Amino acid sequence: MAMRRLLAATCHQIVFEKHGVFLHTSAKRQNDQDSMIPGVIRLIEKASDVLLQWIPIEEDGEMTQIHYSKKESPGSVACRAEDDMFDPGYEPDWAVISTVGTKVRPQEDLLAVKHGNREKWAFSISLSELKSVRKSKPGLSWSYLIFITKEGVSFQALHFHQGGTKALLKALRKYVILAVSPKDSRLFLVYPHDSHALSHSFDELQMFDDGSSDLVSRFFQDPYSTTFGGFSKVTNFFRGALPRLDGHHHRPLSEMAVGLEDEPGFEVITCQVELGERPVIQRQAPVSEQEWESYINSEGQVMNVDGLKKRIFSGGLCPGLRKDAWKYLLGYYPWDSTAEDRKSLLRRKTDEYFRMKLQWKSVSEDQEKRNSLLRGYRSLIERDVSRTDRNNKFYEGNDNPGLCLLNDALMTYCMYNFDLGYVQGMSDLLSPILYVMQNEVDAFWCFTGFMEMVHHNFEESQESMKRQLSQLNLLLRVLDPALCDFLDSKESGNLSCCFRWLLIWFKREFSFQDILLLWEVLWTGLPCPNFHLLVACGILDLEREALMNSDYGFNEILKHINELTMKMSVEDILCRAEALNQQLAHCQELPLNIKELLGKAEVKSPAPSTDTASPPQPLSPSQVHELDLTDSVSPSQPDSSIEILPTEDTTTSQSLSP
């Protein structure tokens, strides 16, 4: 009898385990920490079945007493928290968020649910009883999954506070097929790995116009020629089906799909595309002062603005033009303004600037003692200004007037934008503008124009930064899936090493003069929206061989990217980025979300409604429950995994990005 129990215990194997999976007992109380129960989700292999199990965790970290013998094996899925520590790592004393903020609730508050009520939420279900899995909407602070049985039972949503939905779905695909519902892109239909279910799934998804009586046999003989015609929107169906096939038609997943994104971001469901040959790009000469004058009419208005922007994009500006041209590029001067208009504008803007400056200048020392917010901003600004571009002659020396102008403009911006205030990194964006303008007022208003473009990068939630990293990942998966796979294998697939690039628009990657050229090119808004992401792809393309032909791990990749500072040619990177854009523009089968990202999607007018249109169908009780769960979930507390808190250690040179 004892031997029988031992054999029964050893036949259970945990093949997947993920901690930090919270069950929210009330979908309408998302901000109430007391409604969250921490737990662990597992996949457990039994002799003839596979179980999906979620178990609550006690306050001391121990799980409730449901035991299985855990047996490690080479095939076990190792689930690492994708977002455990998002550490761009360059300067530990450079925070992405201001240190002036609200206090965070103690961690123990997350475990405030009484022990006695937790066990009732635990569940265990056989994968053979699973009908579908619903994924959360993109953009939520925490991704969640809802599991629905064939009997119509929907379990409470499980929120992955430390990431892991992608890893769980990948593990599930070892045992079942996950096919995207043709009616709901967030709903995965679950099918077993057998011929009957495969044929049934093809019929239900309506991927083929002809009958599917012999579809399975044709699929196994030649899966690609049989299915690619009608499979353009369900590539992740292949991810579940193909690993179980035998034959000579297997290809790496990287050659089949532009991956399925995890956590808040984008979901790409498309086949691999052929980009064609990359064109060779030649940069042009900078716009000269004489050429600039040819665009100005007798009243001082700029003519042929689009043509001028194209010239600035392709060649940049000669140094003598930047002081005037940047005012247009940054929205300080309207392109159609006359010389008289600009004189009047300058008078108004000068008065407005000094009124705002007087607001903080007139605060007495005694008043400031009772204004912790202003005191905090002043401290951060003084510290950042003292080390911003000090190798530049305009800012070198202890009593340099340039430093005073930089300080005053940043303090005044706190009065201009009370909501955002000052965040570390802004001094890097103002410094080149002040250097070019040589004037406090002009520099300030140009800076406000720049901040209109990038202010979301500095918001405390950091949703914009996470979104841009997801977008960069999407582009890279289309442009270079092999490099993407390599970075994934080295735990660098989230591209955290590129964080600083995007945050401050490559300010610390290139020389000071190169940044002046790069920024004026980016400010044109050409040749497409989000061109700065293609610049990042250009840098990764430049370093592709160095990365892939090495034995680098995560730390070495981060170090290598950091050491590129001041070693790259901005002209070379711009040529690469423009070539990548042209490759994508000429691709006929570009995924829709890539088109939208780069502004290449066709705008279609909505189809007029007709009387013959079918009326909306009523929802079943289970569907109503699902909608209540998914639509009522609002972003709770922002994910703090990306926050880089300041320290006083300035010996490390690591970085962030817009």
Side-chain angles (χ1 to χ4, degrees):
M1 183 64 70
M3 179 61 70
R4 185 177 301 172
R5 291 197 189 99
L6 179 61
L7 290 174
T10 56
C11 69
H12 296 172
Q13 178 181 343
I14 297 177
V15 294
F16 178 90
E17 184 174 273
K18 184 74 180 86
H19 289 261
V21 181
F22 284 68
L23 186 145
H24 293 204
T25 59
S26 172
K28 299 180 187 253
R29 296 167 57 205
Q30 289 299 305
N31 293 319
D32 187 352
Q33 304 286 358
D34 294 345
S35 68
M36 304 179 191
I37 303 178
V40 58
I41 194 166
R42 291 168 166 170
L43 283 180
I44 302 170
E45 275 189 0
K46 298 179 67 175
S48 59
D49 199 3
V50 180
L51 298 178
L52 175 71
Q53 178 190 88
W54 181 85
I55 304 172
I57 297 178
E58 302 295 347
E59 193 165 355
D60 59 0
E62 294 297 325
M63 287 164 286
T64 52
Q65 299 302 309
I66 303 178
H67 291 293
Y68 289 93
S69 175
K70 182 171 181 178
K71 178 182 177 182
E72 299 293 342
S73 68
S76 297
V77 178
C79 179
R80 180 183 179 274
E82 290 91 344
D83 301 322
D84 278 349
M85 285 300 293
F86 189 109
D87 185 8
Y90 298 101
E91 288 187 13
D93 55 345
W94 180 11
V96 183
I97 61 170
S98 170
T99 55
V100 180
T102 57
K103 294 183 178 179
V104 180
R105 292 184 65 180
Q107 182 66 23
E108 55 267 19
D109 285 357
L110 294 174
L111 306 174
V113 181
K114 294 182 180 180
H115 295 194
N117 295 330
R118 290 178 173 180
E119 288 75 4
K120 70 177 183 180
W121 298 102
F123 66 85
S124 179
I125 179 176
S126 169
L127 294 190
S128 63
E129 297 300 318
L130 195 59
K131 178 183 179 181
S132 59
V133 181
R134 178 174 291 280
K135 188 179 179 182
S136 59
K137 293 179 180 179
L140 299 181
S141 295
W142 297 317
S143 283
Y144 64 80
L145 295 176
I146 299 174
F147 297 96
I148 305 165
T149 70
K150 292 179 180 179
E151 297 179 352
V153 177
S154 295
F155 292 101
Q156 291 290 110
L158 297 181
H159 294 248
F160 291 69
H161 289 201
Q162 299 175 359
T165 58
K166 180 178 179 180
L168 177 57
L169 293 175
K170 181 179 179 181
L172 284 171
R173 287 190 178 97
K174 292 177 60 180
Y175 308 99
V176 294
I177 295 170
L178 297 180
V180 176
S181 168
K183 299 179 181 179
D184 186 347
S185 62
R186 295 193 293 118
L187 187 67
F188 295 96
L189 305 178
V190 180
Y191 299 100
H193 283 291
D194 61 66
S195 299
H196 173 74
L198 193 58
S199 295
H200 176 71
S201 65
F202 283 143
D203 290 336
E204 184 166 330
L205 291 173
Q206 301 174 351
M207 294 182 291
F208 301 93
D209 296 329
D210 56 348
S212 58
S213 58
D214 65 338
L215 180 61
V216 173
S217 60
R218 288 188 286 124
F219 178 78
F220 279 97
Q221 292 170 5
D222 189 351
Y224 299 101
S225 62
T226 304
T227 58
F228 267 24
F231 230 65
S232 61
K233 294 185 179 180
V234 287
T235 297
N236 49 353
F237 187 96
F238 272 110
R239 291 171 173 251
L242 288 181
R244 294 289 178 133
L245 300 178
D246 296 321
H248 303 288
H249 299 283
H250 288 198
R251 294 190 293 181
L253 288 177
S254 62
E255 297 181 14
M256 294 163 48
V258 184
L260 175 67
E261 288 301 309
D262 191 22
E263 315 324 337
F266 294 79
E267 193 170 306
V268 185
I269 308 173
T270 181
C271 291
Q272 174 77 8
V273 294
E274 293 294 334
L275 294 176
E277 186 177 353
R278 185 181 301 180
V280 177
I281 303 296
Q282 296 290 335
R283 299 280 301 165
Q284 299 181 17
V287 177
S288 65
E289 295 186 23
Q290 183 178 2
E291 185 179 358
W292 174 268
E293 289 297 328
S294 68
Y295 286 92
I296 309 298
N297 66 13
S298 58
E299 295 184 353
Q301 294 173 306
V302 178
M303 310 299 293
N304 189 13
V305 175
D306 291 340
L308 179 56
K309 285 184 177 181
K310 289 179 181 177
R311 276 291 292 121
I312 296 173
F313 172 79
S314 61
L317 296 159
C318 71
L321 279 177
R322 285 179 173 139
K323 186 172 184 178
D324 287 329
W326 281 21
K327 295 174 184 177
Y328 292 96
L329 290 171
L330 291 169
Y332 180 27
Y333 285 172
W335 288 97
D336 60 352
S337 62
T338 65
E340 289 300 319
D341 291 338
R342 293 191 290 275
K343 289 180 182 178
S344 175
L345 176 68
L346 180 59
R347 287 193 294 270
R348 293 198 313 273
K349 290 296 187 180
T350 300
D351 290 343
E352 186 177 352
Y353 174 77
F354 283 107
R355 281 199 302 272
M356 290 187 293
K357 184 175 181 178
L358 185 61
Q359 289 175 1
W360 65 268
K361 279 281 190 180
S362 61
V363 174
S364 68
E365 185 176 341
D366 188 53
Q367 284 179 300
E368 190 167 314
K369 290 179 180 179
R370 295 183 293 274
N371 191 331
S372 60
L373 188 62
L374 181 63
R375 197 167 62 245
Y377 287 149
R378 187 190 297 275
S379 175
L380 286 172
I381 290 171
E382 288 177 353
R383 187 175 67 173
D384 282 1
V385 165
S386 66
R387 58 189 180 183
T388 299
D389 292 323
R390 297 307 300 275
N391 293 328
N392 188 300
K393 290 185 178 180
F394 188 72
Y395 298 108
E396 68 181 5
N398 294 327
D399 298 321
N400 193 304
L403 296 178
C404 296
L405 297 180
L406 191 63
N407 179 90
D408 289 0
L410 291 171
M411 284 294 298
T412 304
Y413 186 77
C414 295
M415 301 294 105
Y416 173 81
N417 190 339
F418 283 103
D419 290 337
L420 185 59
Y422 177 79
V423 181
Q424 290 174 317
M426 290 182 182
S427 61
D428 278 277
L429 301 185
L430 175 58
S431 170
I433 297 175
L434 182 58
Y435 167 83
V436 168
M437 295 299 153
Q438 305 278 308
N439 178 280
E440 181 180 359
V441 175
D442 291 342
F444 174 83
W445 290 113
C446 287
F447 174 66
T448 61
F450 193 7
M451 286 301 298
E452 283 298 310
M453 303 178 192
V454 300
H455 70 93
H456 292 297
N457 294 350
F458 297 95
E459 292 176 352
E460 188 171 353
S461 69
Q462 298 181 342
E463 288 303 316
S464 176
M465 287 305 306
K466 289 185 279 188
R467 180 172 62 252
Q468 289 179 72
L469 288 172
S470 295
Q471 292 169 337
L472 179 58
N473 182 280
L474 284 181
L475 284 173
L476 195 62
R477 287 194 183 279
V478 173
L479 292 167
D480 197 340
L483 177 58
C484 232
D485 289 345
F486 169 79
L487 293 174
D488 283 339
S489 69
K490 303 297 182 180
E491 301 181 350
S492 300
N494 59 7
L495 299 178
S496 60
C497 55
C498 307
F499 191 87
R500 177 177 69 181
W501 299 356
L502 305 183
L503 180 66
I504 52 172
W505 276 26
F506 311 95
K507 167 63 165 55
R508 299 199 176 185
E509 317 315 315
F510 297 98
S511 68
F512 197 87
Q513 292 301 319
D514 277 355
I515 279 297
L516 304 184
L517 170 60
L518 176 61
W519 282 2
E520 63 198 16
V521 167
L522 294 176
W523 291 336
T524 64
L526 299 175
C528 62
N530 296 305
F531 185 65
H532 69 292
L533 298 179
L534 289 173
V535 172
C537 288
I539 298 176
L540 292 172
D541 180 70
L542 175 67
E543 297 302 312
R544 183 182 194 276
E545 299 302 322
L547 292 171
M548 297 186 67
N549 294 335
S550 67
D551 293 327
Y552 288 165
F554 174 82
N555 291 332
E556 289 79 13
I557 290 175
L558 190 64
K559 182 174 182 290
H560 178 85
I561 295 298
N562 185 39
E563 291 176 348
L564 295 176
T565 301
M566 306 300 166
K567 296 180 181 178
M568 297 179 291
S569 164
V570 74
E571 295 279 0
D572 179 29
I573 297 302
L574 284 172
C575 287
R576 288 174 183 268
E578 188 176 355
L580 293 174
N581 175 70
Q582 291 192 19
Q583 264 191 308
L584 295 171
H586 294 152
C587 178
Q588 299 299 317
E589 299 179 353
L590 200 62
L592 178 60
N593 50 6
I594 299 295
K595 290 181 179 180
E596 292 174 343
L597 180 61
L598 301 179
K600 303 181 188 302
E602 297 181 3
V603 179
K604 296 182 180 180
S605 57
S609 60
T610 62
D611 295 336
T612 59
S614 58
Q617 298 298 314
L619 297 176
S620 66
S622 62
Q623 289 174 314
V624 172
H625 180 61
E626 290 173 25
L627 288 175
D628 181 64
L629 278 174
T630 55
D631 293 340
S632 64
V633 175
S634 59
S636 303
Q637 297 178 352
D639 188 349
S640 61
S641 60
I642 308 184
E643 296 178 359
I644 310 301
L645 300 179
T647 69
E648 293 302 320
D649 181 11
T650 60
T651 59
T652 311
S653 61
Q654 301 230 27
S655 66
L656 321 175
S657 55

